Amino acid sequence: MKILLCEDDHALSSMIRFKLSRENLGELTIVPDGREAMRLLQLHDFDLVITDIHMPYHSGLEVVTLLREQLKKQTPIIILSAEGLENTVLQAFALGANDFITKPFSPAELAIRVKRLMKV
Amino acid sequence: MSWFSDLFKSLTPEERIFVWIAFICLMGAVLFILFLLISRSAKNWREEKAQRYQMDFQESINELIFSEDNSSGALLEKLKAIAGQSYAAKQVLIDQIMSLKKSLSGVAVQNLERAYREINLHAHSLSKLKQGSWSVKVAGMNELAEMNYVDAKESIKPFLQNTKYVLRDEAFMALLKLDRDSSYSFLDDYRASVSYWMRMRIHHHLSHIDKRNLPDFTKWFSSSNVDVALFSISMARHFRQLAAAPALVSLLHDSDKRKVALAVSTLGDLEAFEHAEELISRIDFYWEDAKLSRRIAISLGKLCNSDSQWAWLQKYLTHPDYAVRFEAARAIHQSGKQFPKQAPDMELLIRHVQEPLLRAS
């Protein structure tokens, strides 16, 4: 299974990679910004996308829009954000995100949500 | 070089001065460019070094986050060995732990805090408090507070009396985070002023905690530091601490008019109807003070609930200050009561309070 993680915090993305590989949840590709995420999504298919909202070049919400509206893909998406405002959460779900995790979060909880979405 | 010497000698004094100035400017420019290049190289070198440390630490930190107590000893020793290499290594490790802690919750955070203590990183942060630069001291306080190192409270407390306001602000914010049982006890001995920045940050902090854990702000109403007293009254007002009303009534007799003014407004905002009479009893005493009279009129407009009390408010319709008469008229208008006919500029006041563009003010 291929997971795309879009996160500009290197320490956090490394920790997530460690946790997910420990749980045998597949191969993780990490990108540090929205532009690279959008480029990879156009080139490859992923089984799950985990994306931060605030990233350089393009936001996580733009990544969701690209996946759902332009590429017409139903890849499960988890939004990871420090911003838990009701409007942002609603907007993410309206655009087609499948789950929303507010930072600070428990890595164990993230792994459970990934498993649920990937039906592992 | 004799040709240069001959040429220089053939110049007029003015031309020589010009050549010297040009030479000095040229040398200055060269030195400046050299300085820029060296500082840029030093910065890159430091960044590369920090990146190397980050990569060295990252794997062990990841393992540490998910480790059990009994299996983390070796990881901690490894981190300690690398961090012990230099001041910069310790700083990179602290920054990395703090950055992760901000994004994580649960057991992971407890493990990171434990690592901070057991690798002895708190000693590094505590040593910053003794350094000369205020920004280093601030960074040290921030690290200790973020990493929840409770034993640092006594080392941070002296900064509350520091002459530099940035240090005072950071010290009190650190103590708010570290002293969970009595977060505001530092206000007991606080001697400096409470800046707007401080108020904003305290308000932000209070807005994010369980309202049942808010302190009883009346404790500081009689503080010898007027700033602390005013701040406490405004917090009681903001968080609607109704139990503060009797203490606010006592403040109506205070010698400091700023405290009286805030107490008057707070009583009105808290809708302390049972204390309307006490407020009325101060009308005559503060009659000459237009600002206080205006505040009393506004608060009474919110508190009056009997005809006799409204009659007292109507007394302000004859006050020499127009702003006071206006507030009294507005309160009467908003209550739907009839205006008495004897007031001198009653028609003007009625037109003013009924003006739609002024209603919101």
Side-chain angles (χ1 to χ4, degrees):
Chain A
M1 295 216 213
K2 288 166 71 181
I3 302 173
L4 177 68
L5 172 64
C6 322
E7 171 62 62
D8 54 347
D9 181 343
H10 174 72
L12 185 63
S13 57
S14 166
M15 189 280 300
I16 293 173
R17 181 202 287 276
F18 182 84
K19 178 66 181 169
L20 297 186
S21 68
R22 218 179 185 207
E23 303 273 338
N24 292 320
L25 286 171
E27 176 196 333
L28 191 72
T29 306
I30 299 173
V31 289
D33 59 64
R35 188 167 61 187
E36 185 62 10
M38 289 167 108
R39 192 184 70 79
L40 281 186
L41 283 169
Q42 284 167 328
L43 294 174
H44 306 286
D45 283 327
F46 290 92
D47 299 303
L48 177 77
V49 175
I50 303 171
T51 178
D52 188 7
I53 284 197
H54 298 291
M55 289 187 294
Y57 306 116
H58 294 289
S59 75
L61 295 179
E62 286 176 271
V63 172
V64 180
T65 310
L66 171 90
L67 208 56
R68 293 286 185 262
E69 290 180 11
Q70 292 177 37
L71 302 176
K72 307 282 182 201
K73 287 182 184 171
Q74 290 311 308
T75 313
I77 304 168
I78 298 176
I79 300 279
L80 205 56
S81 174
E83 192 186 326
L85 293 175
E86 190 187 6
N87 273 351
T88 314
V89 179
L90 293 178
Q91 197 187 355
F93 282 119
L95 289 170
N98 299 76
D99 208 342
F100 194 104
I101 299 179
T102 309
K103 293 178 193 171
F105 65 95
S106 151
E109 184 190 332
L110 173 70
I112 289 170
R113 290 182 189 231
V114 169
K115 282 180 190 170
R116 188 174 59 82
L117 280 173
M118 294 174 78
K119 298 186 175 64
V120 179
Chain B
M1 291 296 284
S2 61
W3 64 270
F4 182 78
S5 174
D6 294 341
L7 179 69
F8 197 73
K9 280 174 190 161
S10 68
L11 296 175
T12 63
E14 289 81 9
E15 286 169 336
R16 283 182 192 180
I17 289 169
F18 177 79
V19 168
W20 271 114
I21 290 171
F23 176 74
I24 289 166
C25 289
L26 184 72
M27 288 312 291
V30 169
L31 285 174
F32 181 66
I33 290 167
L34 267 176
F35 168 76
L36 285 181
L37 288 173
I38 290 169
S39 64
R40 174 65 65 90
S41 305
K43 194 183 165 197
N44 288 344
W45 180 77
R46 278 197 303 270
E47 281 176 358
E48 280 168 21
K49 199 172 158 192
Q51 271 182 356
R52 276 203 305 278
Y53 279 131
Q54 274 173 8
M55 283 159 69
D56 289 346
F57 290 136
Q58 193 61 57
E59 200 183 332
S60 302
I61 293 176
N62 288 342
E63 285 186 42
L64 201 67
I65 287 173
F66 303 107
S67 68
E68 300 293 328
D69 276 12
N70 51 7
S71 64
S72 58
L75 291 169
L76 289 171
E77 283 306 317
K78 187 181 169 189
L79 286 171
K80 208 172 182 175
I82 307 172
Q85 286 173 8
S86 66
Y87 185 93
K90 282 195 192 82
Q91 193 54 53
V92 169
L93 182 56
I94 291 175
D95 291 343
Q96 221 164 338
I97 290 177
M98 280 173 63
S99 159
L100 271 173
K101 190 179 175 259
K102 274 180 192 154
S103 303
L104 301 178
S105 65
V107 182
V109 169
Q110 290 166 16
N111 284 347
L112 287 171
E113 286 177 359
R114 190 161 55 86
Y116 176 78
R117 285 191 301 272
E118 291 186 13
I119 300 170
N120 223 18
L121 295 174
H122 60 274
H124 179 78
S125 304
L126 282 168
S127 72
K128 287 185 178 177
L129 302 185
K130 291 172 189 152
Q131 293 197 20
S133 159
W134 65 267
S135 59
V136 177
K137 284 178 180 147
V138 165
M141 278 190 255
N142 188 35
E143 285 165 14
L144 291 160
E146 287 298 324
M147 294 316 297
N148 200 22
Y149 187 70
V150 180
D151 293 347
K153 279 189 294 189
E154 293 308 316
S155 308
I156 294 174
K157 269 182 188 167
F159 289 101
L160 287 172
Q161 314 303 343
N162 199 287
T163 48
K164 199 160 186 71
Y165 79 93
V166 185
L167 285 171
R168 289 201 305 269
D169 279 12
E170 289 301 326
F172 99 86
M173 275 316 293
L175 289 170
L176 278 187
K177 288 175 187 166
L178 291 173
D179 200 349
R180 293 208 177 119
D181 297 331
S182 51
S183 295
Y184 294 86
S185 56
F186 73 86
L187 285 174
D188 297 343
D189 313 310
Y190 191 66
R191 297 279 165 265
S193 65
V194 183
S195 65
Y196 285 112
W197 176 241
M198 232 166 133
R199 286 172 195 220
M200 203 172 79
R201 291 180 74 181
I202 294 180
H203 177 254
H204 178 78
H205 177 77
L206 291 173
S207 306
H208 287 82
I209 63 168
D210 186 341
K211 297 294 170 282
R212 287 170 296 185
N213 295 334
L214 283 172
D216 172 13
F217 285 106
T218 57
K219 276 192 284 187
W220 299 289
F221 281 7
S222 51
S223 168
S224 55
N225 183 344
V226 179
D227 250 32
V228 168
L230 292 173
F231 164 73
S232 307
I233 300 167
S234 64
M235 286 295 111
R237 178 187 187 179
H238 184 84
F239 291 102
R240 298 193 59 78
Q241 290 191 333
L242 300 175
L248 289 166
V249 169
S250 313
L251 288 178
L252 297 177
H253 300 268
D254 200 278
S255 56
D256 192 307
K257 285 192 176 174
R258 288 173 297 171
K259 279 160 100 174
V260 178
L262 197 51
V264 168
S265 300
T266 306
L267 280 169
D269 286 350
L270 293 179
E271 294 171 340
F273 299 107
E274 67 278 22
H275 297 293
E277 291 296 335
E278 280 101 328
L279 200 54
I280 286 167
S281 71
R282 304 304 286 166
I283 289 178
D284 288 336
F285 187 81
Y286 292 120
W287 184 261
E288 300 295 325
D289 187 320
K291 283 184 182 169
L292 267 176
S293 294
R294 183 171 171 266
R295 286 210 188 209
I296 295 173
I298 294 169
S299 287
L300 274 181
K302 296 171 184 169
L303 301 179
C304 289
N305 56 10
S306 70
D307 285 344
S308 63
Q309 289 175 353
W310 281 110
W312 276 104
L313 182 62
Q314 284 175 4
K315 191 179 174 186
Y316 275 132
L317 292 172
T318 58
H319 195 278
D321 190 273
Y322 180 79
V324 180
R325 295 201 299 277
F326 171 75
E327 291 302 344
R330 178 152 70 172
I332 293 165
H333 173 70
Q334 283 170 350
S335 72
K337 300 263 175 199
Q338 288 293 314
F339 283 96
K341 293 196 172 80
Q342 71 274 19
D345 49 357
M346 190 50 64
E347 271 188 39
L348 175 70
L349 279 170
I350 292 172
R351 265 191 286 138
H352 193 170
V353 297
Q354 287 177 341
E355 170 57 50
L357 292 172
L358 294 171
R359 269 182 206 162
S361 64

